[in-house]
Amino acid sequence: MAQVFCDHRIDLVGRASRLDTHMNCQRIRNTSLASITYGGDVKVDPGECENFFPVMAILEGRGTFRCGNDSIDATPDVIAVASPTLPLSMRLAAGTKLVIARIERPALEATLRELLDQSLPWPIEFQLGMNATEGMTAAWASGFLRFINELDSNNRSWSRSHSARGLERWLMEGLLLAQPNNYTHVLDGDTRPIPNRVVDAAIELMEAHPESEHTISSLASAAGVSARALQEAFRRHTDVTPMRYLREVRLERAHQELLAAEPDTTTVGKVAARWGSQHLSRFASAYHARYGEYPSTTLRK
C-alpha cells in the first residue's frame, strides 16, 4: 500500500482485531484506483499526502476521516475529498470496503490552470465532505462509481483504453467544478444567467464533431464562457451535463452506423470503439435502454 500511495502508519483498534487485508489496484495515466479491505478495526495515519489528492469512498461499512481541522463520518452517501497539503487520518470499522482514487497533484493543478486560463497562486484545498446524493456532486459521484465498477471488473486492458482516459479527464474536471474548494469563487466567474446561444454553440460543436476528444474546458472555451458557467447552463437548459449530452450524440451516431452496416463487414465492437466506448457490455446496455434492442440485433437487420 505504501508503494501505491505513501508511507503511513496503521494501528489495530482493540485486542480482538486482526488484519485480513486485500487490495486491488489499477492505474490509468494520472489516476490510480484501489479497492481496500483491512479486516479489523484500524486507524490509518498517512499525514500529508503531498503529491496526490486522495478521494475516498466507502462502499460498505463506515469510517471517520480527518483532514486538517475538518472531520466527517463517511458512509456510501458521503465521500471524503482530502487535500495533499493538510494532514490526513482515518478510522475504519471492521469489514469496511474502501475505494481510494489517487489523483496526481500536478495533473489536477494543470487541469485547473486550463479551466481558469491562469496560474495558481495557492495550493488547491477541497472541502472534506462530498454529498453524493444532491446536485452536481451527485452527477460526479455517479461517474466515480462507474470508475469503481471498472476496477471491480478486473479488466486490465480497460485502463489503457481511450474510454478510460476520457473518464479520467472528466473525473478531474468534474471534481474541481462540483466539490467546493478555495478556487470555486474563481471558477464560478460571472454568475448571471447564460443565454441559450451558449448551450447551442456547444451542442453544435458536439453534433458536428462527436468523434473529437471534447472536454468541459474545451467546449467552454469554444462557447466563450467559463467551464462552471457552461455546466450550469446545460443543467438549466437541457437538464443534463455536457458530457452526458456528448455520450447521447455518440450513441445516436453508433445507432445510425449499425443500421447502415453489413454484419460481414463490421462488428459491434468496432462501431462502439469508433464512437468512444471501449466497454462493450456497457455500450450494449446503454444502447438497449435507448433503442429497445441490443446493437447486435440492429446490425443483423
Side-chain angles (χ1 to χ4, degrees), residues 125-161:
E125 292 185 2
F126 286 100
Q127 177 179 301
L128 179 59
M130 172 188 285
N131 186 333
T133 64
E134 296 180 357
M136 292 175 62
T137 54
W140 185 90
S142 176
F144 185 45
L145 289 176
R146 286 179 57 203
F147 232 176
I148 293 170
N149 290 335
E150 294 293 352
L151 170 70
D152 285 341
S153 72
N154 205 29
N155 183 353
R156 297 290 170 177
S157 64
W158 176 82
S159 63
R160 299 186 296 273
S161 70

Side-chain angles (χ1 to χ4, degrees), residues 69-83:
N69 294 323
D70 292 334
S71 177
I72 62 166
D73 293 323
T75 67
D77 290 336
V78 179
I79 296 173
V81 184
S83 304

Side-chain angles (χ1 to χ4, degrees), residues 253-255 257-258 261 266-277 283 299:
R253 298 301 170 85
H255 175 63
E257 184 172 343
L258 288 167
T266 192
T267 65
V268 171
K270 288 180 180 179
V271 173
R274 188 153 38 246
W275 297 106
S277 180
F283 169 76
L299 182 60

Side-chain angles (χ1 to χ4, degrees), residues 177-231:
L177 294 170
Q179 181 63 1
N181 60 77
N182 55 342
Y183 283 92
T184 295
H185 67 288
V186 186
L187 285 164
D188 283 344
D190 193 344
T191 57
R192 292 175 298 177
I194 303 298
N196 280 347
R197 59 179 174 76
V198 170
V199 176
D200 292 342
I203 288 176
E204 182 178 345
L205 183 59
M206 287 187 280
E207 295 276 4
H209 302 285
E211 75 286 353
S212 299
E213 293 189 15
H214 298 294
T215 65
I216 296 173
S217 57
S218 69
L219 291 169
S221 178
V225 295
S226 70
R228 180 88 172 197
L230 180 67
Q231 194 162 17

